[in-house]
Amino acid sequence: MSHALARDSREESSHTEVLVFALGAEEYAVNILKVQEIRGYSSVTRIANVPDFVKGVTNLRGEIVPIVDLRLKFGLGEARYDEQTVVIVLNIGERIVGVVVDSVSDVLGLSAEQIKPAPDFGAGLATDYLQGLGSVDDRMLIIVDIDRMMTSHEMALVEAAAT
């Protein structure tokens, strides 16, 4: 019986739960442990002299939270904000950042075998934030290393905007 419990424990630890969201026709995912909450998109306070992908800031229960549009951050074109548009509030270290996505679909558990390394696109593309590609049935998920993305030089500007 203890062998079964040990095996179950190892199997659970090799699974990663991810929150799946859409940007255009592609599905992306972030580790569910980084997600604080999911909210509908509402207007934000614009900040001057910040990159285009920083939509502004919002007051979330007394805390000023920068809002980043991932569609713009990833160069996927202008976002259309509608009733499906949501903000995923992420807890990254001591920072809280909201990211705007087209929609959120579900939470999936991925085993280590279902996560493949991200391909090397060469030095021309900034893909450091790609953690890997998840494969679930016929779906391909682009798994984002949100810690790496949010610790980049550009994100320092986001933090400055919120202070």
Side-chain angles (χ1 to χ4, degrees), residues 10-122:
R10 283 192 305 266
E11 288 175 0
E12 286 178 15
S13 66
S14 67
H15 272 72
T16 302
E17 287 201 332
V18 294
L19 176 69
V20 180
F21 59 92
L23 291 173
E26 306 301 329
E27 287 189 300
Y28 293 79
V30 294
N31 188 319
I32 193 73
L33 296 176
K34 300 294 180 186
V35 177
Q36 178 174 313
E37 65 182 88
I38 300 169
R39 305 169 48 93
Y41 180 78
S42 59
S43 64
V44 297
T45 302
R46 306 262 327 159
I47 304 290
N49 298 322
V50 295
D52 289 344
F53 62 86
V54 178
K55 300 305 293 179
V57 295
T58 191
N59 186 335
L60 182 64
R61 293 181 290 279
E63 182 155 354
I64 303 302
V65 176
I67 304 295
V68 173
D69 190 320
L70 282 188
R71 181 182 277 271
L72 297 176
K73 169 73 176 143
F74 293 162
L76 299 174
E78 189 66 33
R80 183 184 61 198
Y81 303 107
D82 58 24
E83 66 277 353
Q84 298 292 317
T85 305
V86 296
V87 175
I88 303 171
V89 179
L90 299 165
N91 201 341
I92 304 167
E94 296 185 11
R95 283 190 243 175
I96 296 176
V97 176
V99 294
V100 180
V101 300
D102 293 344
S103 64
V104 171
S105 59
D106 48 7
V107 175
L108 295 175
L110 297 175
S111 67
E113 294 78 31
Q114 291 175 298
I115 301 174
K116 306 297 182 206
D120 183 11
F121 292 103

